[in-house]
Amino acid sequence: AGALLAAHSTCASCGNATPLPGAVAGEVNEALQAAHLDPSQIQTYQPATTLCTSPPVTPACNVTGNNITVCQGVLLNPGGQTQQCGARVSFQYPDSLAFPLINLQSLNIPATADAPMEY
């Protein structure tokens, strides 16, 4: 949900602006709450990201106050003939797994979602 929101601009007559990172983080928080996960446990995670060279938006990555990284103007197809720009939203969430004879108390699960920009 967050990456899709980050990839869409407002209507042309409304200024055609990209959503603010805080609005994107709000979408992610709602999705986590719907999955019965605590958004306050989110930890920052920013995978290697290549920004577009001539995107329709100013390329930027911002970390929100609740540790969600929102990148806009990201190159989604490195090495492609025509660059595809988009948005990337990422974070990591702590979890623990218990198996017989193995107990992983601290496991950070990274999450990244990409979405192509809507022009």
Side-chain angles (χ1 to χ4, degrees), residues 12-70:
S13 62
C14 306
N16 205 27
T18 56
L20 295 174
V24 174
E27 288 288 318
V28 172
N29 285 341
E30 287 180 21
L32 288 173
Q33 289 171 341
H36 304 286
L37 297 173
D38 181 4
S40 70
Q41 293 190 42
I42 292 173
Q43 299 173 5
T44 302
Y45 171 68
Q46 186 170 356
T49 299
T50 302
L51 300 176
C52 288
T53 56
S54 57
V57 299
T58 303
C61 287
N62 297 288
V63 178
T64 66
N66 53 346
N67 298 324
I68 297 171
T69 303
V70 178

